Amino acid sequence: MSKEQDLGQKIFEEVGGMGNVSKIAHCMTRVRLGIKDTDKVDVEGLKKAPGVLGVVEDDTLQIIVGPGFVNKVAGAMCDMAGVKLGETLPDNLDENLTQSSTAKTGKELVEERAAATKADMKKKQNNSSGFKRLLKSVANIFVPLIPGFVGAGLIAGIAAILFNNIQAGNLDAATWSQYVTVLNVIKNGIFSFLVIYVGINTAQEFGGTPVLGGAIGGVTLLMGVTPEFPIKNIFNGSDMVAGQGGIIGVLLAVYLLCVLEKFLRKWIPNSLDIILTPMLALLIIGLFTIFIIMPFAGVISTSLVGSINWIIAKGGLFAGFVLGTLFLPMVMLGLHQVLTPIHVEMIAQQGYTILLPMLAMAGAGQVGASIAIWMRCRKNKPLVTMIKGGLPVGILGIGEPLIYGVTIPLGRPFITACLGGGIGGAIIGFFGNVGAIAIGPSGVALIPLIANNSWLEYVIGLLAAYLGGFILTYLWGVPKDAMEAVEE
């Protein structure tokens, strides 16, 4: 049995069997399960499962297993249940699964401790507020799109490298230009039609018909409008531009579509529903989108992106320091999700987001802090073992094991690590115009996605965050009790 099959079987065991699961889905790092009876779920047992990085109890049960591996685990679980991803599981599935156990490695120890810490913190948060639900919805809309952002972003990076070499005369233009064109065509498969994908996911999130959400997203592209016959902005008389209002406009328009669709389905007879509801919903919201939402959201999105660029340009070192320092506390409170549409809108408007490289420094500070703890606490064998298990993935940008397994439980190292991230952010802010062409990765994994050939500046910021987190933690961040000798 493969590693992903073993973990999938173990997850089924700890959640009360296949019969207690209604749906299986996944995002970039988490297997998401619909649970019928939460009382049957052994959360503590799930946290201890080898390969589980953390557990989040929300509207779905979310098991963090890491990028790449999550696809395989979710796929294996679907194969065991005999369903496709996202399909409802039958009620008569066999729940008797063979239990298995393995010795815990260093990686498994840090994952177990990280899961326990994160779960305890999650219980202290108030998830019932409207703002929390909004952030959760934003995550549900954009997280499934991240693999596409990463894949298309890397392809765009390769195309940019080839184009730069053609411009510099290192490659023959007649031979290589066609390859650049083809790569850009592939990249545009997601970025040119992003509003449609966002529309589909938004409708699904708010209980509307996905294809209608995609159609409203497509409306913002103004397909068929020509310079000879433009659509006029009713507020200032200027010509409407395709994509005006961006992602923010699509989110608002499709949300209103869902509200209207639910209203229509209550009042339109069933015999006419299939005909009238989609037609009226598209017509009303389509007109409202073109003449009201697009001009309104256009002002908001342009002002928002312009304001962020201005703050970073004027703030420089200080702005980068603040962003790099405060990002992980934002993540812990779930507030980081509100930044996702901003990243996407910046990429849509200018080709890259200058926020992400600064925020990515936060995880680098945790890496530096963990190395300092390792050096100061060598007699504490369990702690060292946990750090060894979390460092490799931390360097690659997956910081949860180190954050929740090492720095937060110790207290002071989390603060010095955040300050180390602030130092890296300040360096990025000093250089200015260091952006990422896609969202998703951080740490070393973000290097291929850095725009404007500014990867060296990003690496310097990354090293500064490592060093800052290390020095601050080594000198002031290690508790005395953590340095005491502890055997395995």
Side-chain angles (χ1 to χ4, degrees), residues 148-165:
F149 292 151
V150 175
L154 289 172
I155 291 172
I158 295 171
I161 291 171
L162 292 177
F163 179 77
N164 291 338
N165 278 276

Side-chain angles (χ1 to χ4, degrees), residues 122-206:
K122 185 72 177 179
K123 291 177 181 178
K124 297 176 183 178
Q125 296 180 13
N126 177 17
N127 292 317
S128 61
S129 69
F131 186 60
K132 286 286 186 180
R133 289 195 296 271
L134 174 61
L135 294 178
K136 186 197 307 178
S137 294
V138 170
N140 292 341
I141 292 166
F142 286 99
V143 165
L145 299 175
I146 288 178
F149 292 151
V150 175
L154 289 172
I155 291 172
I158 295 171
I161 291 171
L162 292 177
F163 179 77
N164 291 338
N165 278 276
I166 291 172
Q167 294 292 97
N170 299 325
L171 295 175
D172 178 60
T175 302
W176 288 94
S177 293
Q178 61 177 329
Y179 296 111
V180 174
T181 301
V182 169
L183 290 175
N184 282 326
V185 167
I186 297 172
K187 176 259 296 184
N188 289 338
I190 183 167
F191 289 122
S192 294
F193 304 103
L194 181 60
V195 288
I196 297 177
Y197 306 132
V198 171
I200 290 171
N201 286 359
T202 304
Q204 195 160 8
E205 174 64 19
F206 292 112

Side-chain angles (χ1 to χ4, degrees), residues 306-320 354 358 429 432:
S307 298
I308 292 172
N309 285 330
W310 183 85
I311 290 171
I312 292 176
K314 296 298 182 181
L317 285 163
F318 178 74
I354 58 176
M358 293 182 185

